[in-house]
Amino acid sequence: MNTGFSSNLAGTKLPHAARGPLRALIVEDSEADFDLIVAMLAGAGWSVEAERVEERAAMRNALATGKWDVVIADHSLPRFSGNEALQLTSDCGTDAPFILVSGSIGEDAAVAALHAGATDCINKASLARLAPAVERSLAGVEARLERRKAERALRDSLDRLTALVNASPLAIIGLDLERRVTLWNPAAERIFGWTQTEVLGRNPPSVAPAQRDDFQRYQDLAISSGSVEAETRRVRADGSEVEISLSVAALHDDEGRAIGTIALIADIGDRKRAEREITESREQLRALSAHTGKAIEAERARIARELHDQVGGTLTALRSELDGLRKRIDTDPALAKRVQSMDKLIDTAMTASISMSRSLRPSMLDHGVYPALEWQAREFEERTGTHCRVTCNDEEASLDMEQSTALYRVFQEALTNVAKHAKAGRVTVELFISASTVTLEVRDDGCGLAGGALGKRESFGVRGMLERVRGLGGWLDVSGQPGDGTTLMVSIPRRKPKSPKAGT
Ligand SMILES: Nc1ncnc2c1ncn2[C@@H]1O[C@H](COP(=O)(O)OP(=O)(O)OP(=O)(O)O)[C@@H](O)[C@H]1O
Ligand SMILES: [Mg+2]
């Protein structure tokens, strides 16, 4: 039930520019004073919607509507008072400013009212001050609302930030300029084993004495350059070491002065262990492949020697036996013919044995790498009809046998690839031997490398060459654009031969 008295002067002719609506709750026993107040406000340009109340219950009901822009209260009323009205306004939690209007209030009472939350106190004798006071207090309310909104937004973003810091799988550690912990999130507790309460305000215990220099360096670098990233080690509460990746950034105050650092830290122990295992097994594979390569070369050389010495020797002996026989059976033409055919068979066997022996391990390798490559190039020309020219800056130079064999095998695979893939008309080979390195370049004028050619899972030629060359501490590069030929480059640090003619 509304026991108040209303007045709506919207539409009254106004001396000032219209300001918009003003909903005023006026606590006043005198109807004449109420009208006067409303007229003052309307005169200042507001379209006033006002309600008059003069006792507690009516005021509580009116406040409950929550619609008021301003509460204006007389200081003394017969059944109520300005102070009580002020108390009620504050109890109801309204944001509307409260203006006390009085003819009798003294200075002390006015100050007390202001302390109690009144926005302003106006003397009835100078009611002209009312409109400016309302205007001021409305601006104050607006500023207060704005401030509250900003505070709420700040609180929301702080809440979000706190949730993020708490849920982060990365340790987040804040330090001040004295390197004392200001922030230590749950992930930091999990990774290092100390609780936030144990570390706040202390230097981080996760930095072991031996790690202090390294820690200090990252902090200084972050402050001087803004941020720093690193992989390093720290300790856990149980004394064990933890491998971490660290990203430290400097924190600044409003004036840009550094006030500390914040670090994001991940435990990379598992990753590092996996990386170490991969590196180890790669090294083992490489060693195994080098060992296998050497064993194959040694076996080839042994079989080549057997072919040359045993099979070749036996065939030579067989031929001289046959020669002796031939002298005795010259008189029997049929037998002579059979001996002649046996001679041809021995010839064929000898040629095959020499060719097999050479392809297993060309004896030219014993004369140096250049003669071996040259021989291989002639074989290739004969077999494929593709022109192949080899040049060398030092044809006499001798290399360590393992290096000569490796270069020879790389060259063999390079020529096999030209024959298989390039459709080339010409191959140009340059061997450059200096005191410290040996470089081999094999260039063809064929179809060039198709995209992804070197990544084929089922291809092992280039991979094998690479392994061989890496095993000797060198590098290999295969390049070429489609339609523009292919170039293979190999370079290895040169080793002098242990014994110039030693075979494998
Ligand atoms: N001279 C070349 N001209 C054009 N393409 C080439 C040449 N050399 C290599 N390639 C391309 O690179 C791929 C990889 O060569 P790689 O020697 O590793 O394997 P592959 O010759 O296919 O098989 P293999 O394992 O028998 O050697 C080839 O399949 C081919 O597509
Ligand atoms: Mg190949």
Side-chain angles (χ1 to χ4, degrees), residues 93 111 114 132 215 320 413 464:
V111 169
L114 288 173
F215 166 72
S320 83
E413 172 61 19

Side-chain angles (χ1 to χ4, degrees), residues 413 417-418 420-422 444 447-449 453-454 456 458-462 486:
E413 172 61 19
N417 275 352
V418 173
K420 257 167 82 177
H421 310 292
D444 68 57
C447 61
L449 279 182
L454 299 178
K456 291 178 190 166
E458 69 283 3
S459 294
F460 292 97
V462 174
T486 301

Side-chain angles (χ1 to χ4, degrees), residues 484-495:
D484 203 22
T486 301
T487 301
L488 176 132
M489 280 275 286
V490 175
S491 178
I492 50 176
R494 183 177 178 193
R495 278 201 308 242

